[in-house]
């Protein structure tokens, strides 16, 4: 558990460094007189569309790598491990097939988006270079996770890509080149992270290519193909569910509304950063625990991930919500972006639910009941599709916030009940209740003291008081078994006895 904690903390720090650059990017995109809301919205639609196409092109290969990497590691020498080589070849085939289908369906894109989102129609084909580099980064990242090199991959995903975007925006501002060139370069920026991870794995000696089928592949290929089939369908459904809000907004309200929605979504996504770190390092440990039938370790990871992520998600959400109006007042943003406040609230609740229920998805996905993830994906799509269409059409971007909160609450509830009934695993303790109560008390104290103040000074004052209150309560009540070890480490580094 100490290794999980250590790598999670390091990854979170590096990822938050990336989020700092992401915040700069979002600010520059949303600032007056640099990009229009349609231009910013185009970058978001390219990303969302590329992610959706990636779910088709990747053929569920990352899940196969997570699940079967321990078998390759336990039975083969590094130079004989053909898992990565086979995955890259299959991913290229998936890319070619997805690109062909995307070209065939271009007339449908023109018909659906030409009225409200003409800029997306104009640059639709830039989705494919984005897909190419993003796809191969994902395959390499899954392999890096399987060999426990999560820190570098998380940095390159969250920080490396955002730093590349920052540099491109600055070049756009000072270089004076047109948006046409900007968006073309933007669509290829994942190539920087892909090459960075490739060279890193090569440097640490964990990158091996072989085109000879190993005995592990020959033995398990049928099971891997079965896993690919079920997870592939579930992944496509899950990604489609996550993308529906953006496409619905673009269709009914235009890509300018997508930009406003994305700024709010980005602010909320700050909450989810630690979840990515915990998922990254926990996946390989869960896979090994299932292989050894070690339910005690799985329960320990499940409960600790739940309380830790609940603590962090509530802490970050409350910090954001206390300062939201102040930030909007002190920064010279386009006034249009103020319309996303309720989206931040609803997405904040969604992330608290999703993170507070722990790594339930990874536990199911690495178990012999991974087919259930497909069923959960079908349920999620069946919820998000009608909810998005009905609520977005009626309430705009706020409707997307409601639909996500409702769908993900039901989605996580189903997975919690499944793990409890099937394996007697559940993530909650009495300290879950303590966290909720303490967070509410800390919030209302700060709100009553500072809610009428909106300046840079009040922003730092409010944040400082809340951090002190919540941090002191967390340590005093020992709300997580990982709190005191981390606190002791911090005191040691600071020279505090």
């Amino acid at each position: 558990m100490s290794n999980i904690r250590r790598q999670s903390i390091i990854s979170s720090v590096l990822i938050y460094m990336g989020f700092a650059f992401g915040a700069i990017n979002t600010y520059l995109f949303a600032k007056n007189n640099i990009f229009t809301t349609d231009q910013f919205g185009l970058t978001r639609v390219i990303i969302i569309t590329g992610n959706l196409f990636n779910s088709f092109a990747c053929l569920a290969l990352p899940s196969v790598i997570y699940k079967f990497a321990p078998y390759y590691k336990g039975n083969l020498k590094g130079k004989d491990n053909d898992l990565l080589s086979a995955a890259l070849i299959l991913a290229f085939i998936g890319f070619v097939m997805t690109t062909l289908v995307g070209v065939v369906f271009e007339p449908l894109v023109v018909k659906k988006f030409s009225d409200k989102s003409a800029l997306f129609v104009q640059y639709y084909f830039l989705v494919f270079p984005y897909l190419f580099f993003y796809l191969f980064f994902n395959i390499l990242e899954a392999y890096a996770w399987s060999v426990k090199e999560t820190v570098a991959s998380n940095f390159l995903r969250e920080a490396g890509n955002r730093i590349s975007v920052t540099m491109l925006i600055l070049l756009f501002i000072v270089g004076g080149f047109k948006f046409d060139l900007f968006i073309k370069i933007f669509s290829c920026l994942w190539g920087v992270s892909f090459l960075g991870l490739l060279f890193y794995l090569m440097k640490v000696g964990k990158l091996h290519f072989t085109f000879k089928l190993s005995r592990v592949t020959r033995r398990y290929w049928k099971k891997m193909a079965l896993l690919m089939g079920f997870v592939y369908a579930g992944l496509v459904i899950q990604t489609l569910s996550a993308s529906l809000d953006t496409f619905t907004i673009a269709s009914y309200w235009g890509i300018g509304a997508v930009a406003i929605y994305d700024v709010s979504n980005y602010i909320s996504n700050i909450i989810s950063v630690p979840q990515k770190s915990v998922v990254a390092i926990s996946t390989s440990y869960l896979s090994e625990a299932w292989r050894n039938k070690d339910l005690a370790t799985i329960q320990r990871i499940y409960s600790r991930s739940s309380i830790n992520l609940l603590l962090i998600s509530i802490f970050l959400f409350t910090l954001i919500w206390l300062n939201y109006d102040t930030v909007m007042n002190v920064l010279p943003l386009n006034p249009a972006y103020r319309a996303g406040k309720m989206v931040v609230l609803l997405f904040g609740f969604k992330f608290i639910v999703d993170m507070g229920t722990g790594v339930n998805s990874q536990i199911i996905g690495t178990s012999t009941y991974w087919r259930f993830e497909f069923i959960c994906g079908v349920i999620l799509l069946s919820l998000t599709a009608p909810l998005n269409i009905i609520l977005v059409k009626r309430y705009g971007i706020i409707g997307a916030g409601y639909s996500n909160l409702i769908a993900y609450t039901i989605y996580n509830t189903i997975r919690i009940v499944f793990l409890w009934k099937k394996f007697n695993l559940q993530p909650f303790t009495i300290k879950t209740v303590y966290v909720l109560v303490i967070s509410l008390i800390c919030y209302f104290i700060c709100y009553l003291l500072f809610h009428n103040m909106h300046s840079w000074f009040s922003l730092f004052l409010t944040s400082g008081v809340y951090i002190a209150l919540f941090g002191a309560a967390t340590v005093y009540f020992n709300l997580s078994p990982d709190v005191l070890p981390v606190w002791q480490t911090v005191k040691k580094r600071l020279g505090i006895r």
Side-chain angles (χ1 to χ4, degrees):
M1 295 302 298
S2 61
N3 192 40
I4 294 177
R5 180 172 62 242
R6 184 180 64 84
Q7 292 201 42
S8 296
I9 292 171
I10 294 172
S11 293
S12 294
V13 171
L14 292 174
I15 292 170
Y16 270 120
M17 187 176 75
F19 257 74
F21 281 95
I24 293 171
N25 298 341
T26 302
Y27 170 71
L28 292 174
F29 274 125
K31 192 176 183 296
N32 278 323
N33 305 320
I34 298 179
F35 295 93
T36 67
T37 54
D38 278 3
Q39 288 173 338
F40 181 25
L42 175 63
T43 65
R44 302 307 97 188
V45 174
I46 287 177
I47 290 172
I48 296 297
T49 309
N51 293 349
L52 176 61
F53 285 1
N54 175 70
S55 68
F56 289 96
C58 76
L59 304 176
L61 290 165
S63 295
V64 174
I65 294 173
Y66 302 146
K67 177 68 177 176
F68 288 94
Y71 297 91
Y72 281 84
K73 180 181 178 182
N75 293 281
L76 295 172
K77 295 179 180 179
K79 63 183 180 62
D80 298 322
N81 189 335
D82 61 329
L83 182 59
L84 177 60
S85 301
L88 291 172
I89 292 171
L90 290 172
F92 182 75
I93 295 172
F95 168 76
V96 172
M97 294 172 61
T98 303
T99 300
L100 291 174
V101 173
V103 172
V104 169
F105 279 93
E106 190 227 353
L108 179 62
V109 173
V110 174
K111 180 180 179 181
K112 189 67 177 175
F113 296 98
S114 58
D115 184 25
K116 297 287 186 178
S117 304
L119 205 59
F120 176 49
V121 173
Q122 180 182 349
Y123 290 102
Y124 169 68
F125 285 106
L126 292 184
V127 170
F128 300 108
Y130 177 93
L131 167 64
F132 179 84
F133 292 112
Y134 184 64
L135 167 65
F136 284 100
F137 175 82
N138 276 315
I139 299 297
L140 212 56
E141 179 189 47
Y143 177 76
W145 286 16
S146 74
V147 296
K148 297 184 174 64
E149 292 291 344
T150 60
V151 174
S153 63
N154 282 334
F155 171 77
L156 288 167
R157 169 178 286 279
E158 303 295 344
N161 182 255
R162 289 186 170 98
I163 292 171
S164 299
V165 174
T166 303
M167 294 174 65
L168 179 61
I169 294 174
L170 293 177
L171 285 172
F172 175 73
I173 294 172
V174 302
F177 54 83
K178 294 183 178 179
F179 180 76
D180 179 75
L181 179 58
F182 170 88
I183 198 65
K184 288 175 180 176
I185 298 174
F186 177 87
S187 68
C188 299
L189 284 183
W190 273 106
V192 177
S193 294
F194 168 71
L195 292 174
L197 186 54
L198 185 73
F199 289 128
Y200 173 80
L201 291 173
M202 190 181 301
K203 181 180 179 181
V204 297
K206 293 186 177 180
L207 190 67
H208 305 284
F209 296 106
T210 177
F211 299 100
K212 180 181 178 181
L213 287 180
S214 67
R215 65 179 185 276
V216 177
T217 301
R218 289 194 296 268
R219 180 179 179 183
Y220 290 107
W221 74 269
K222 290 183 180 179
K223 291 183 179 180
M224 288 190 284
L226 183 63
L227 175 67
M228 285 173 64
F230 274 93
V231 176
Y232 179 70
L235 180 63
V236 170
I237 290 171
Q238 189 174 13
T239 309
L240 184 60
S241 301
S243 308
L244 272 175
D245 48 6
T246 298
F247 292 125
T248 307
I249 292 169
S251 178
Y252 285 111
W253 300 89
I255 57 175
V258 171
I260 299 169
Y261 178 70
D262 188 78
V263 169
S264 304
N265 195 9
Y266 176 80
I267 294 171
S268 306
N269 263 293
I270 295 173
I271 302 168
S272 70
V273 169
Q275 183 182 32
K276 299 172 185 178
S277 301
V278 172
V279 166
I281 189 60
S282 296
T283 302
S284 60
Y285 286 94
L286 287 169
S287 183
E288 291 176 3
W290 278 119
R291 185 188 178 199
N292 298 324
K293 298 181 173 58
D294 187 358
L295 284 177
T297 295
I298 295 170
Q299 174 61 56
R300 190 160 60 251
I301 294 173
Y302 193 16
S303 59
R304 285 199 180 189
S305 67
S306 173
I307 193 66
N308 289 339
L309 291 175
L310 179 64
L311 268 169
I312 296 169
S313 62
I314 289 181
F315 168 76
L316 292 174
F317 167 70
T318 308
L319 201 59
I320 291 168
W321 191 246
L322 282 169
N323 293 297
Y324 183 88
D325 289 328
T326 300
V327 170
M328 286 294 168
N329 284 329
V330 299
L331 291 180
L333 301 179
N334 187 324
Y337 292 100
R338 292 176 178 266
K341 182 177 180 179
M342 279 300 296
V343 178
V344 173
L345 177 68
L346 295 168
F347 266 95
F349 289 158
K350 170 203 160 183
F351 283 122
I352 290 172
V353 170
D354 197 42
M355 294 170 66
T357 51
V359 290
N360 51 37
S361 177
Q362 287 66 42
I363 293 174
I364 297 171
T366 53
S367 74
T368 55
Y369 290 89
W370 43 262
R371 295 174 183 84
F372 188 72
E373 272 296 283
F374 169 75
I375 297 172
C376 288
V378 173
I379 294 171
L380 182 63
L381 181 61
S382 67
L383 289 168
T384 54
L387 283 172
N388 266 307
I389 293 171
I390 295 169
L391 295 177
V392 171
K393 186 176 180 180
R394 184 168 182 177
Y395 299 109
I397 61 175
I398 297 175
Y402 280 118
S403 66
N404 273 275
L405 176 59
I406 294 168
Y408 275 86
T409 300
I410 297 172
Y411 178 58
N412 279 287
T413 301
I414 291 170
R415 293 193 294 193
I416 289 172
V417 172
F418 173 80
L419 288 172
W420 180 43
K421 293 291 186 182
K422 185 63 67 174
F423 303 106
N424 198 29
L425 299 170
Q426 66 90 19
F428 305 122
T429 66
I430 188 61
K431 290 188 177 179
T432 303
V433 180
Y434 294 166
V435 172
L436 296 174
V437 173
I438 288 170
S439 65
L440 285 173
I441 293 172
C442 293
Y443 167 76
F444 281 112
I445 290 173
C446 292
Y447 176 78
L448 291 173
L449 289 173
F450 308 115
H451 72 280
N452 287 324
M453 300 170 63
H454 299 293
S455 65
W456 282 110
F457 174 74
S458 68
L459 188 151
F460 289 108
L461 181 62
T462 304
S463 301
V465 172
Y466 176 74
I467 291 170
L469 288 173
F470 192 84
T474 301
V475 173
Y476 180 79
F477 292 103
N478 192 22
L479 295 179
S480 163
D482 291 308
V483 168
L484 288 181
V486 171
W487 176 238
Q488 294 298 332
T489 302
V490 171
K491 289 199 299 182
K492 183 179 178 181
R493 296 289 174 86
L494 295 177
I496 301 174
R497 291 184 179 181

mmCIF file of all heavy atoms in Angstrom, residues 378-407:
data_model
loop_
_atom_site.group_PDB
_atom_site.id
_atom_site.type_symbol
_atom_site.label_atom_id
_atom_site.label_comp_id
_atom_site.label_asym_id
_atom_site.label_seq_id
_atom_site.Cartn_x
_atom_site.Cartn_y
_atom_site.Cartn_z
ATOM 1 N N VAL A 378 -23.812 -0.544 -20.980
ATOM 2 C CA VAL A 378 -25.114 -0.498 -21.669
ATOM 3 C C VAL A 378 -26.120 0.293 -20.838
ATOM 4 O O VAL A 378 -26.887 1.108 -21.370
ATOM 5 C CB VAL A 378 -25.634 -1.931 -21.926
ATOM 6 C CG1 VAL A 378 -27.053 -1.901 -22.477
ATOM 7 C CG2 VAL A 378 -24.714 -2.664 -22.896
ATOM 8 N N ILE A 379 -26.106 0.052 -19.533
ATOM 9 C CA ILE A 379 -27.016 0.787 -18.645
ATOM 10 C C ILE A 379 -26.710 2.283 -18.675
ATOM 11 O O ILE A 379 -27.614 3.120 -18.745
ATOM 12 C CB ILE A 379 -26.913 0.242 -17.208
ATOM 13 C CG1 ILE A 379 -27.429 -1.205 -17.148
ATOM 14 C CG2 ILE A 379 -27.698 1.116 -16.232
ATOM 15 C CD1 ILE A 379 -27.171 -1.901 -15.824
ATOM 16 N N LEU A 380 -25.412 2.617 -18.639
ATOM 17 C CA LEU A 380 -25.018 4.023 -18.659
ATOM 18 C C LEU A 380 -25.487 4.713 -19.936
ATOM 19 O O LEU A 380 -26.018 5.832 -19.896
ATOM 20 C CB LEU A 380 -23.498 4.144 -18.525
ATOM 21 C CG LEU A 380 -22.933 5.564 -18.477
ATOM 22 C CD1 LEU A 380 -23.449 6.310 -17.253
ATOM 23 C CD2 LEU A 380 -21.413 5.536 -18.474
ATOM 24 N N LEU A 381 -25.289 4.052 -21.084
ATOM 25 C CA LEU A 381 -25.728 4.636 -22.354
ATOM 26 C C LEU A 381 -27.241 4.776 -22.403
ATOM 27 O O LEU A 381 -27.769 5.784 -22.883
ATOM 28 C CB LEU A 381 -25.233 3.786 -23.525
ATOM 29 C CG LEU A 381 -25.617 4.304 -24.922
ATOM 30 C CD1 LEU A 381 -25.022 5.683 -25.153
ATOM 31 C CD2 LEU A 381 -25.165 3.332 -25.998
ATOM 32 N N SER A 382 -27.945 3.759 -21.902
ATOM 33 C CA SER A 382 -29.412 3.804 -21.912
ATOM 34 C C SER A 382 -29.943 4.925 -21.033
ATOM 35 O O SER A 382 -31.063 5.400 -21.226
ATOM 36 C CB SER A 382 -29.987 2.452 -21.449
ATOM 37 O OG SER A 382 -29.691 2.220 -20.089
ATOM 38 N N LEU A 383 -29.124 5.348 -20.060
ATOM 39 C CA LEU A 383 -29.523 6.473 -19.213
ATOM 40 C C LEU A 383 -29.122 7.815 -19.830
ATOM 41 O O LEU A 383 -29.933 8.745 -19.900
ATOM 42 C CB LEU A 383 -28.860 6.344 -17.833
ATOM 43 C CG LEU A 383 -29.362 5.232 -16.919
ATOM 44 C CD1 LEU A 383 -28.425 5.059 -15.727
ATOM 45 C CD2 LEU A 383 -30.774 5.541 -16.429
ATOM 46 N N THR A 384 -27.859 7.924 -20.276
ATOM 47 C CA THR A 384 -27.357 9.220 -20.742
ATOM 48 C C THR A 384 -27.966 9.657 -22.068
ATOM 49 O O THR A 384 -28.166 10.858 -22.279
ATOM 50 C CB THR A 384 -25.825 9.192 -20.879
ATOM 51 O OG1 THR A 384 -25.446 8.095 -21.709
ATOM 52 C CG2 THR A 384 -25.158 9.063 -19.529
ATOM 53 N N ALA A 385 -28.222 8.707 -22.958
ATOM 54 C CA ALA A 385 -28.726 9.092 -24.286
ATOM 55 C C ALA A 385 -30.054 9.850 -24.196
ATOM 56 O O ALA A 385 -30.150 10.993 -24.659
ATOM 57 C CB ALA A 385 -28.849 7.861 -25.180
ATOM 58 N N PRO A 386 -31.098 9.252 -23.600
ATOM 59 C CA PRO A 386 -32.355 10.010 -23.537
ATOM 60 C C PRO A 386 -32.283 11.225 -22.616
ATOM 61 O O PRO A 386 -32.874 12.266 -22.908
ATOM 62 C CB PRO A 386 -33.365 8.972 -23.002
ATOM 63 C CG PRO A 386 -32.540 7.945 -22.305
ATOM 64 C CD PRO A 386 -31.239 7.891 -23.038
ATOM 65 N N LEU A 387 -31.531 11.100 -21.491
ATOM 66 C CA LEU A 387 -31.434 12.228 -20.570
ATOM 67 C C LEU A 387 -30.764 13.429 -21.241
ATOM 68 O O LEU A 387 -31.213 14.580 -21.079
ATOM 69 C CB LEU A 387 -30.640 11.819 -19.324
ATOM 70 C CG LEU A 387 -31.370 10.967 -18.284
ATOM 71 C CD1 LEU A 387 -30.405 10.476 -17.209
ATOM 72 C CD2 LEU A 387 -32.519 11.750 -17.643
ATOM 73 N N ASN A 388 -29.680 13.179 -21.994
ATOM 74 C CA ASN A 388 -28.988 14.276 -22.670
ATOM 75 C C ASN A 388 -29.873 14.938 -23.703
ATOM 76 O O ASN A 388 -29.956 16.176 -23.773
ATOM 77 C CB ASN A 388 -27.705 13.758 -23.332
ATOM 78 C CG ASN A 388 -26.496 13.923 -22.453
ATOM 79 O OD1 ASN A 388 -26.213 15.002 -21.976
ATOM 80 N ND2 ASN A 388 -25.787 12.843 -22.213
ATOM 81 N N ILE A 389 -30.510 14.143 -24.532
ATOM 82 C CA ILE A 389 -31.339 14.707 -25.602
ATOM 83 C C ILE A 389 -32.484 15.538 -25.021
ATOM 84 O O ILE A 389 -32.753 16.661 -25.463
ATOM 85 C CB ILE A 389 -31.884 13.581 -26.504
ATOM 86 C CG1 ILE A 389 -30.720 12.925 -27.262
ATOM 87 C CG2 ILE A 389 -32.919 14.133 -27.483
ATOM 88 C CD1 ILE A 389 -31.110 11.679 -28.017
ATOM 89 N N ILE A 390 -33.150 14.995 -23.989
ATOM 90 C CA ILE A 390 -34.298 15.692 -23.397
ATOM 91 C C ILE A 390 -33.860 16.928 -22.623
ATOM 92 O O ILE A 390 -34.392 18.035 -22.825
ATOM 93 C CB ILE A 390 -35.086 14.731 -22.473
ATOM 94 C CG1 ILE A 390 -35.712 13.601 -23.290
ATOM 95 C CG2 ILE A 390 -36.172 15.495 -21.719
ATOM 96 C CD1 ILE A 390 -36.281 12.470 -22.448
ATOM 97 N N LEU A 391 -32.867 16.755 -21.730
ATOM 98 C CA LEU A 391 -32.494 17.846 -20.832
ATOM 99 C C LEU A 391 -31.660 18.931 -21.521
ATOM 100 O O LEU A 391 -31.827 20.118 -21.233
ATOM 101 C CB LEU A 391 -31.738 17.282 -19.625
ATOM 102 C CG LEU A 391 -32.554 16.363 -18.710
ATOM 103 C CD1 LEU A 391 -31.689 15.802 -17.587
ATOM 104 C CD2 LEU A 391 -33.765 17.096 -18.128
ATOM 105 N N VAL A 392 -30.742 18.537 -22.436
ATOM 106 C CA VAL A 392 -29.940 19.542 -23.142
ATOM 107 C C VAL A 392 -30.813 20.361 -24.080
ATOM 108 O O VAL A 392 -30.665 21.582 -24.186
ATOM 109 C CB VAL A 392 -28.790 18.870 -23.917
ATOM 110 C CG1 VAL A 392 -28.097 19.872 -24.828
ATOM 111 C CG2 VAL A 392 -27.773 18.279 -22.942
ATOM 112 N N LYS A 393 -31.706 19.695 -24.764
ATOM 113 C CA LYS A 393 -32.598 20.404 -25.682
ATOM 114 C C LYS A 393 -33.440 21.437 -24.931
ATOM 115 O O LYS A 393 -33.694 22.536 -25.437
ATOM 116 C CB LYS A 393 -33.502 19.407 -26.398
ATOM 117 C CG LYS A 393 -34.375 20.032 -27.473
ATOM 118 C CD LYS A 393 -35.182 18.973 -28.212
ATOM 119 C CE LYS A 393 -36.048 19.597 -29.298
ATOM 120 N NZ LYS A 393 -36.846 18.565 -30.028
ATOM 121 N N ARG A 394 -33.825 21.097 -23.685
ATOM 122 C CA ARG A 394 -34.703 21.988 -22.924
ATOM 123 C C ARG A 394 -33.943 23.015 -22.091
ATOM 124 O O ARG A 394 -34.334 24.179 -22.014
ATOM 125 C CB ARG A 394 -35.597 21.149 -22.007
ATOM 126 C CG ARG A 394 -36.620 21.974 -21.245
ATOM 127 C CD ARG A 394 -37.667 21.108 -20.592
ATOM 128 N NE ARG A 394 -38.675 21.891 -19.912
ATOM 129 C CZ ARG A 394 -39.747 21.382 -19.308
ATOM 130 N NH1 ARG A 394 -39.926 20.067 -19.325
ATOM 131 N NH2 ARG A 394 -40.611 22.158 -18.697
ATOM 132 N N TYR A 395 -32.833 22.571 -21.445
ATOM 133 C CA TYR A 395 -32.143 23.446 -20.496
ATOM 134 C C TYR A 395 -30.742 23.871 -20.937
ATOM 135 O O TYR A 395 -30.049 24.575 -20.198
ATOM 136 C CB TYR A 395 -32.031 22.754 -19.129
ATOM 137 C CG TYR A 395 -33.361 22.419 -18.515
ATOM 138 C CD1 TYR A 395 -33.788 21.097 -18.433
ATOM 139 C CD2 TYR A 395 -34.198 23.413 -18.015
ATOM 140 C CE1 TYR A 395 -35.004 20.768 -17.864
ATOM 141 C CE2 TYR A 395 -35.420 23.099 -17.452
ATOM 142 C CZ TYR A 395 -35.830 21.767 -17.368
ATOM 143 O OH TYR A 395 -37.037 21.455 -16.809
ATOM 144 N N GLY A 396 -30.296 23.458 -22.112
ATOM 145 C CA GLY A 396 -28.976 23.833 -22.578
ATOM 146 C C GLY A 396 -27.869 23.098 -21.829
ATOM 147 O O GLY A 396 -28.020 21.941 -21.442
ATOM 148 N N ILE A 397 -26.750 23.791 -21.560
ATOM 149 C CA ILE A 397 -25.607 23.127 -20.951
ATOM 150 C C ILE A 397 -25.897 22.664 -19.525
ATOM 151 O O ILE A 397 -25.307 21.690 -19.051
ATOM 152 C CB ILE A 397 -24.358 24.030 -20.974
ATOM 153 C CG1 ILE A 397 -24.589 25.324 -20.191
ATOM 154 C CG2 ILE A 397 -23.951 24.351 -22.411
ATOM 155 C CD1 ILE A 397 -23.354 26.199 -20.077
ATOM 156 N N ILE A 398 -26.817 23.324 -18.825
ATOM 157 C CA ILE A 398 -27.172 22.892 -17.467
ATOM 158 C C ILE A 398 -27.853 21.530 -17.520
ATOM 159 O O ILE A 398 -27.661 20.676 -16.638
ATOM 160 C CB ILE A 398 -28.078 23.933 -16.782
ATOM 161 C CG1 ILE A 398 -27.323 25.251 -16.623
ATOM 162 C CG2 ILE A 398 -28.564 23.429 -15.425
ATOM 163 C CD1 ILE A 398 -28.160 26.387 -16.071
ATOM 164 N N GLY A 399 -28.611 21.278 -18.559
ATOM 165 C CA GLY A 399 -29.250 19.971 -18.736
ATOM 166 C C GLY A 399 -28.237 18.850 -18.838
ATOM 167 O O GLY A 399 -28.453 17.738 -18.339
ATOM 168 N N ALA A 400 -27.089 19.150 -19.475
ATOM 169 C CA ALA A 400 -26.027 18.142 -19.567
ATOM 170 C C ALA A 400 -25.463 17.830 -18.190
ATOM 171 O O ALA A 400 -25.102 16.681 -17.893
ATOM 172 C CB ALA A 400 -24.920 18.636 -20.497
ATOM 173 N N GLY A 401 -25.372 18.833 -17.332
ATOM 174 C CA GLY A 401 -24.902 18.607 -15.964
ATOM 175 C C GLY A 401 -25.845 17.715 -15.193
ATOM 176 O O GLY A 401 -25.414 16.773 -14.501
ATOM 177 N N TYR A 402 -27.145 17.966 -15.304
ATOM 178 C CA TYR A 402 -28.129 17.114 -14.630
ATOM 179 C C TYR A 402 -28.069 15.671 -15.142
ATOM 180 O O TYR A 402 -28.108 14.717 -14.355
ATOM 181 C CB TYR A 402 -29.542 17.672 -14.838
ATOM 182 C CG TYR A 402 -29.899 18.819 -13.931
ATOM 183 C CD1 TYR A 402 -30.193 20.077 -14.449
ATOM 184 C CD2 TYR A 402 -29.953 18.641 -12.555
ATOM 185 C CE1 TYR A 402 -30.523 21.133 -13.619
ATOM 186 C CE2 TYR A 402 -30.288 19.699 -11.710
ATOM 187 C CZ TYR A 402 -30.572 20.940 -12.254
ATOM 188 O OH TYR A 402 -30.898 21.984 -11.420
ATOM 189 N N SER A 403 -27.982 15.511 -16.444
ATOM 190 C CA SER A 403 -28.000 14.159 -17.014
ATOM 191 C C SER A 403 -26.783 13.364 -16.569
ATOM 192 O O SER A 403 -26.885 12.168 -16.264
ATOM 193 C CB SER A 403 -28.063 14.230 -18.543
ATOM 194 O OG SER A 403 -26.882 14.786 -19.084
ATOM 195 N N ASN A 404 -25.608 14.009 -16.497
ATOM 196 C CA ASN A 404 -24.400 13.318 -16.048
ATOM 197 C C ASN A 404 -24.485 12.921 -14.587
ATOM 198 O O ASN A 404 -24.102 11.803 -14.217
ATOM 199 C CB ASN A 404 -23.170 14.202 -16.279
ATOM 200 C CG ASN A 404 -22.584 14.052 -17.661
ATOM 201 O OD1 ASN A 404 -21.784 13.153 -17.926
ATOM 202 N ND2 ASN A 404 -22.997 14.915 -18.581
ATOM 203 N N LEU A 405 -24.976 13.803 -13.745
ATOM 204 C CA LEU A 405 -25.086 13.490 -12.319
ATOM 205 C C LEU A 405 -26.046 12.325 -12.078
ATOM 206 O O LEU A 405 -25.723 11.386 -11.333
ATOM 207 C CB LEU A 405 -25.564 14.728 -11.553
ATOM 208 C CG LEU A 405 -25.818 14.529 -10.056
ATOM 209 C CD1 LEU A 405 -24.562 14.056 -9.340
ATOM 210 C CD2 LEU A 405 -26.359 15.817 -9.426
ATOM 211 N N ILE A 406 -27.200 12.356 -12.712
ATOM 212 C CA ILE A 406 -28.186 11.286 -12.530
ATOM 213 C C ILE A 406 -27.641 9.955 -13.037
ATOM 214 O O ILE A 406 -27.698 8.927 -12.349
ATOM 215 C CB ILE A 406 -29.496 11.641 -13.275
ATOM 216 C CG1 ILE A 406 -30.166 12.860 -12.633
ATOM 217 C CG2 ILE A 406 -30.459 10.450 -13.250
ATOM 218 C CD1 ILE A 406 -31.291 13.444 -13.455
ATOM 219 N N ALA A 407 -27.077 9.962 -14.241
ATOM 220 C CA ALA A 407 -26.614 8.713 -14.863
ATOM 221 C C ALA A 407 -25.463 8.090 -14.075
ATOM 222 O O ALA A 407 -25.453 6.881 -13.818
ATOM 223 C CB ALA A 407 -26.185 8.980 -16.304
#
